[in-house]
Amino acid sequence: MKKIYPFLLSFLFILITNIAFSQSGRIDGKVTDMNGVPLEFVNISIMNSTKGAISDKDGKFSILEIENGTVFLKASMIGFEPSTHEIQVQSGKISEVNFQLIESQLGLQTVEITGRREVGYDNKATFSATKTASLIKDVPSTINFVTKELILDQVAFTVNDVVKNVPGVNQFTFYNDITIRGFRIQGQRNSGTLLNGMRTFTSFWKPQLIPHIERVEVIKGPASALFGNASPGGSINRVTKKPLAENRKSISTSVGSFNTLRALADFTGAMTEDKKLLYRLNLGFENSDGFRDLQFKKNLVIAPSFAFLPTANTSLNFDLVYQDSKGRLDRGQAAFGNRDLTTTPITKSLSAMNDYLNEVTLNSTVSLRHNFSENLSLNSTYQLSSYSEDLLEHRTSNQFAALGDGSFDDTKVAMRVFIRKRTWNNNAFNNYFNANYQLGKLKNTALVGYDYFRQELLPGGSQLEAQTYLLKNGTTSNSFKLANIDNYILDDDGNPATNVSHFDLTSPVANGLRDMSKYLYTTRTYNQYLQQTHGVYIQNQSEIGPLKILLGLRQEYFQDLLDYNSPEEVEVKQSALLPRVGLVYTLNPNINFYGTWVKGYQPQDAAGIINPDAGGPFDPLTSEMLEVGAKTEWFNKRVTGTISLYQIVERGGLYNANDANNPELLVQLGEEQSRGAELNLTGNILPNWSLVAGYAFNDSEITQADEESVIGRQKPNAPRNSANFWSKYVFEQGSLTGLGFGLGYNYVSDRFGSIVSSDEPDVFPSYGIVDAAVYYQMGKVQFQVNANNLFNKTHWVGGYDVLRAFPGSPRSIMTTVSYTF
């Protein structure tokens, strides 16, 4: 009998359930985005009813015991347009319905507090380009991006690895040193590098690491109306990964060429049952020798992030990014003086075995968002960052070895030594109100804000320099002048004697240990400086029918305190009024036309240049851009495209003067102009077929200068033509299910080196590089093999001249295993 009772109870339960179900209906379904990716935590509700469900990690849901008749089912989720379906429910039957939600501006976070839900190469929204949550298609400027999915598919680890996917963006050197539309942005300056939309201070010597980055955005043009001190060509904004409410965990390990080992980890989820406290932790490690002699990289990234969502109207975010980078400073390849870059191997570096470069960067950010009402919100962000540099390097004096007769030995490079330590602290504070209001039929979003940026070089910054040649008075010099030969100590051959031995390009042992105790040093102290900027800005975005109008105005105040906290302290003040005008016209649901006019401004002084030997004082750098274009969406909004035409005029740019007595001296040119066209396509043609493609034509030249010979000359490291392509296809059916292939191509045309280095600057030849990848997904595990520079093309990504050329990597193979759980 005891065995019969459980059976009877089960039978009665099934019977009652079937009777209830026979008198009511059931709805099953699935929710995906426009790329076919399942969406978790979507709210599914029957309108005018208390019944509903939440989609699971596969996007599936079920609603039971629904009365017969017609019901309206609604799917809603923050960041997506709600969708409604009419369903006919019948007793005892299961009705099926599938939702495909479209990314929407409505409901977007005003600040990026929680993570991006889009999966793939496309990205619909931006928070930095207008400081409001905006769809990229509605922003009157060009915004390109590289998402974390493309970063992982290409096994990229730095910003320099991914800029090849953005038209009009090229490397200038190995360093954190990039051109956008022909204009240079560099680390150790605050005019082109953003982190979560905030100006920040970074290393110049090493590319920025990205294992913790959600996407890399390139905001084209001088965005000074929002950010103040901004580069004419554009700004690179790195957006860190933010917490998600659902649990996601992934780890990956890569091994490959040049003894490379990388490990990544990404963990996110809710820390409380009510999901009001979320976390994310990203870890990245890299150890690599690289392809260059004596060069190596040991990089560590630790990046925790927390989001606190106490109410629907308030959110708080905390981000911390710690980066530790060890290696040597690579000044590039030196070739013989006949200007043939192939006369020395691309592996040849000028470093000594006892050189080193150790850098530590720390960024911490706190962001608050509060909605006072549906139409009024406050965003407040504070960022504290620090950067320290510990350097010992043997480097070129930017000349070949001088001979006693005034000629040069172009098989040897004149050398000098730097031993340097510096530390910077930076504070950024940004506050703004967003207000929605309506005037008749005119919908408006107003932005009123104030931001503050403070950059300080801390006490103790100093350098020991061992210069090249010995003088009879017991001092040294980096240059040799035949007219003053009696001032120099000469060797037995009548050539100037060296303090730091020349680097012999023909010697196989030139990179050995150097005896640092034998050098004569001069001491340079980097006096403290403090730079402060205050910006007050207003912006209004209006919408009437298909037309959107953006008007912005910023008043910026710059203050530099040179020789800060000393009796010789000097104050330099500058100010600028920066307008911005933009129009967007929606022709149809797939096409928006836009136009924009904006001015830019950059102060140029010791604080911005960070080089006391650069000369000056210099006039401020001013710029102006006019741009028109169109933005499109195709294949059910899975693919986005942008075509743009632009003209940028810059006045007051700085270039190396090629002064033999001071290799660091800069000269200020009169006017530079960049005109061009860009085309970009990004997204998924099919859910399993991804694409990124672009082309840029850029005519960037000197239009006014004191030195007439450079007028009309193309700017350095600004190719007239460049193109990029990357596509990935994954089989979803049949015996090849889970197998995928990736194929890419990048082309860069000829580029000049330094335009004032000689009567005819050195030329870096054009190149085309093919990349390929194979993927295999097996459950939660993915195997991946990437071959970069598949055909082993010798090429140079940029440089100054034959003494400082920067070769691109030869063929490399990376094998990656990833596990998601």
Side-chain angles (χ1 to χ4, degrees):
M1 288 293 293
K2 292 181 179 180
K3 295 182 179 180
I4 294 177
Y5 285 136
F7 172 77
L8 290 175
L9 290 173
S10 300
F11 176 76
L12 288 173
F13 176 78
I14 294 172
L15 179 63
I16 293 170
T17 302
N18 284 335
I19 291 173
F21 180 62
S22 66
Q23 296 175 350
S24 61
R26 169 178 164 182
I27 298 177
D28 287 353
K30 184 176 181 180
V31 189
T32 65
D33 64 11
M34 296 305 295
N35 295 320
V37 177
L39 293 176
E40 189 178 5
F41 300 113
V42 178
N43 183 46
I44 314 296
S45 61
I46 297 177
M47 299 177 67
N48 301 318
S49 167
T50 59
K51 290 186 176 294
I54 301 293
S55 62
D56 62 17
K57 62 183 178 63
D58 297 317
K60 297 179 180 180
F61 66 89
S62 292
I63 306 177
L64 308 176
E65 300 181 9
I66 308 171
E67 294 183 358
N68 292 344
T70 300
V71 300
F72 291 90
L73 199 63
K74 182 179 180 180
S76 59
M77 183 181 189
I78 292 178
F80 291 85
E81 293 184 4
S83 179
T84 303
H85 282 298
E86 180 180 345
I87 306 296
Q88 187 67 39
V89 178
Q90 299 181 21
S91 299
K93 293 187 178 181
I94 299 176
S95 301
E96 294 187 357
V97 60
N98 293 323
F99 288 93
Q100 195 171 42
L101 300 187
I102 299 173
E103 195 82 12
S104 171
Q105 181 178 4
L106 184 63
L108 285 177
Q109 315 163 60
T110 54
V111 175
E112 199 160 5
I113 296 291
T114 58
R116 165 182 170 270
R117 290 182 176 274
E118 292 173 294
V119 176
Y121 295 172
D122 201 7
N123 180 63
K124 301 294 185 186
T126 180
F127 299 84
S128 300
T130 61
K131 288 193 176 178
T132 60
S134 303
L135 296 178
I136 290 177
K137 69 176 183 178
D138 294 333
V139 176
S141 61
T142 298
I143 303 170
N144 301 126
F145 46 83
V146 178
T147 65
K148 67 178 184 298
E149 289 78 17
L150 180 53
I151 290 171
L152 292 172
D153 283 347
Q154 294 183 345
V155 291
F157 206 77
T158 70
V159 169
N160 288 23
D161 294 333
V162 301
V163 293
K164 64 183 181 181
N165 298 291
V166 181
V169 182
N170 301 91
Q171 288 182 245
F172 198 101
T173 61
F174 287 150
Y175 312 139
N176 183 17
D177 188 12
I178 291 170
T179 58
I180 304 178
R181 291 180 169 177
F183 296 95
R184 192 175 179 185
I185 65 169
Q186 302 166 268
Q188 289 192 359
R189 299 190 184 185
N190 52 55
S191 58
T193 301
L194 304 174
L195 182 67
N196 294 322
M198 302 283 284
R199 281 194 289 156
T200 189
F201 192 85
T202 64
S203 166
F204 172 68
W205 309 116
K206 295 295 180 69
Q208 293 302 289
L209 307 177
I210 56 174
H212 59 297
I213 295 300
E214 176 71 33
R215 66 185 178 275
V216 176
E217 294 180 336
V218 180
I219 304 170
K220 301 289 184 64
S224 296
L226 281 181
F227 306 116
N229 188 1
S231 169
S235 300
I236 295 180
N237 182 35
R238 293 162 294 137
V239 180
T240 57
K241 295 176 182 177
K242 302 296 191 299
L244 294 169
E246 61 266 29
N247 290 322
R248 295 184 185 177
K249 299 178 179 66
S250 65
I251 56 175
S252 69
T253 301
S254 301
V255 294
S257 301
F258 318 126
N259 296 318
T260 299
L261 169 65
R262 293 176 185 168
L264 304 175
D266 186 356
F267 308 111
T268 187
M271 301 181 70
T272 58
E273 290 186 4
D274 59 7
K275 298 183 179 178
K276 291 186 176 181
L277 182 60
L278 314 177
Y279 83 95
R280 192 156 192 169
L281 176 62
N282 280 270
L283 305 172
F285 173 76
E286 177 186 39
N287 186 75
S288 176
D289 291 342
F291 72 95
R292 303 265 298 151
D293 295 342
L294 267 69
Q295 303 305 315
F296 70 93
K297 295 178 288 185
K298 288 186 178 179
N299 294 313
L300 174 66
V301 177
I302 303 174
S305 177
F306 301 93
F308 179 48
L309 314 170
T311 70
N313 293 319
T314 304
S315 56
L316 185 68
N317 196 180
F318 173 73
D319 286 286
L320 179 68
V321 181
Y322 171 82
Q323 299 180 70
D324 187 298
S325 178
K326 292 181 171 59
R328 293 188 178 95
L329 177 49
D330 190 349
R331 290 286 182 170
Q333 172 198 359
F336 295 151
N338 59 6
R339 295 192 167 190
D340 183 354
L341 293 172
T342 63
T343 54
T344 59
I346 62 172
T347 58
K348 179 72 72 176
S349 79
L350 302 180
S351 297
M353 190 65 182
N354 42 337
D355 288 352
Y356 59 81
L357 172 60
N358 300 326
E359 299 175 300
V360 174
T361 304
L362 182 65
N363 286 281
S364 58
T365 307
V366 179
S367 300
L368 171 68
R369 186 269 303 171
H370 180 71
N371 293 333
F372 297 98
S373 68
E374 291 184 0
N375 296 318
L376 180 64
S377 65
L378 167 68
N379 295 289
S380 181
T381 304
Y382 172 73
Q383 183 183 94
L384 172 65
S385 61
S386 64
Y387 165 78
S388 64
E389 172 189 273
D390 185 7
L391 170 70
L392 165 60
E393 65 161 336
H394 287 76
R395 58 157 296 181
T396 172
S397 296
N398 302 341
Q399 300 176 19
F400 288 103
L403 300 177
D405 60 0
S407 63
F408 294 92
D409 181 353
D410 66 5
T411 66
K412 296 182 176 66
V413 179
M415 299 293 290
R416 50 182 165 162
V417 171
F418 286 170
I419 303 173
R420 183 170 63 227
K421 290 188 177 184
R422 295 184 290 187
T423 300
W424 287 265
N425 276 349
N426 305 274
N427 293 265
F429 189 41
N430 196 359
N431 303 270
Y432 56 92
F433 287 92
N434 280 314
N436 299 319
Y437 65 99
Q438 190 156 341
L439 297 174
K441 295 183 179 180
L442 193 66
K443 298 178 181 178
N444 295 272
T445 299
L447 174 73
V448 180
Y450 163 79
D451 58 34
Y452 170 75
F453 182 83
R454 172 191 172 105
Q455 176 180 302
E456 183 179 2
L457 175 63
L458 298 183
S462 52
Q463 173 179 294
L464 298 179
E465 179 180 357
Q467 297 183 325
T468 308
Y469 300 107
L470 294 169
L471 300 177
K472 291 179 180 179
N473 62 4
T475 63
T476 57
S477 172
N478 280 324
S479 61
F480 172 71
K481 288 187 175 181
L482 183 59
N484 299 325
I485 190 171
D486 292 337
N487 296 333
Y488 292 84
I489 297 176
L490 303 180
D491 61 19
D492 293 340
D493 296 322
N495 300 320
T498 60
N499 179 38
V500 180
S501 299
H502 298 317
F503 188 100
D504 187 348
L505 295 174
T506 66
S507 172
V509 295
N511 298 112
L513 286 168
R514 302 293 180 91
D515 187 351
M516 308 294 296
S517 65
K518 293 184 177 181
Y519 299 148
L520 295 179
Y521 294 97
T522 58
T523 301
R524 171 187 296 167
T525 299
Y526 294 97
N527 293 339
Q528 276 187 271
Y529 74 75
L530 174 67
Q531 181 188 81
Q532 298 183 102
T533 69
H534 300 264
V536 180
Y537 52 91
I538 58 174
Q539 177 182 277
N540 193 79
Q541 299 177 82
S542 303
E543 180 178 352
I544 180 168
L547 181 64
K548 297 179 177 67
I549 304 171
L550 184 151
L551 301 174
L553 189 65
R554 179 188 183 95
Q555 178 65 57
E556 186 81 3
Y557 300 94
F558 299 89
Q559 180 194 40
D560 286 282
L561 297 175
L562 309 179
D563 294 329
Y564 181 54
N565 278 340
S566 77
E568 291 78 29
E569 180 177 294
V570 177
E571 181 182 35
V572 178
K573 287 187 175 181
Q574 299 177 356
S575 64
L577 186 65
L578 303 166
R580 181 188 190 189
V581 178
L583 300 174
V584 177
Y585 182 80
T586 301
L587 181 65
N588 58 49
N590 291 329
I591 300 177
N592 282 3
F593 291 106
Y594 74 91
T596 189
W597 172 77
V598 63
K599 283 192 172 184
Y601 181 92
Q602 291 176 261
Q604 300 194 106
D605 46 45
I609 299 165
I610 315 182
N611 188 344
D613 289 338
F618 299 106
D619 294 331
L621 188 154
T622 60
S623 57
E624 181 177 356
M625 183 185 75
L626 180 65
E627 179 179 333
V628 296
K631 300 182 181 184
T632 65
E633 293 181 323
W634 304 100
F635 300 100
N636 291 324
K637 298 189 175 183
R638 291 195 303 266
V639 175
T640 60
T642 301
I643 185 170
S644 58
L645 304 172
Y646 62 85
Q647 174 179 286
I648 303 173
V649 177
E650 176 191 74
R651 297 174 180 89
L654 300 177
Y655 287 84
N656 192 284
N658 196 39
D659 189 312
N661 295 316
N662 182 6
E664 307 301 321
L665 186 66
L666 301 179
V667 295
Q668 188 164 25
L669 297 178
E671 183 180 277
E672 303 162 56
Q673 178 177 272
S674 179
R675 292 178 175 178
E678 294 172 350
L679 173 65
N680 184 73
L681 294 173
T682 307
N684 296 69
I685 299 175
L686 297 171
N688 60 324
W689 185 7
S690 304
L691 172 71
V692 172
Y695 167 76
F697 169 77
N698 177 46
D699 184 17
S700 186
E701 62 181 22
I702 308 300
T703 52
Q704 295 179 11
D706 293 337
E707 187 176 341
E708 293 186 3
S709 63
V710 303
I711 296 177
R713 185 178 290 175
Q714 187 79 355
K715 293 184 63 182
N717 289 290
R720 274 195 168 87
N721 294 279
S722 60
N724 63 279
F725 171 84
W726 173 267
S727 183
K728 176 188 176 183
Y729 184 86
V730 178
F731 293 94
E732 292 188 323
Q733 297 179 351
S735 58
L736 298 180
T737 299
L739 182 65
F741 297 94
L743 183 65
Y745 180 75
N746 288 89
Y747 171 78
V748 177
S749 63
D750 293 350
R751 290 135 293 137
F752 281 132
S754 176
I755 61 172
V756 293
S757 63
S758 62
D759 293 337
E760 290 296 329
D762 294 316
V763 176
F764 299 97
S766 63
Y767 64 86
I769 300 298
V770 176
D771 300 327
V774 178
Y775 310 89
Y776 184 67
Q777 184 82 34
M778 187 173 59
K780 296 181 179 181
V781 179
Q782 176 173 284
F783 299 91
Q784 175 179 340
V785 179
N786 290 75
N788 294 322
N789 194 358
L790 183 63
F791 298 111
N792 204 30
K793 173 73 173 179
T794 299
H795 64 291
W796 288 264
V797 298
Y800 303 100
D801 48 41
V802 293
L803 284 171
R804 295 168 293 173
F806 296 88
S809 174
R811 179 171 51 237
S812 64
I813 307 295
M814 291 289 289
T815 301
T816 303
V817 179
S818 304
Y819 178 64
T820 303
F821 57 100

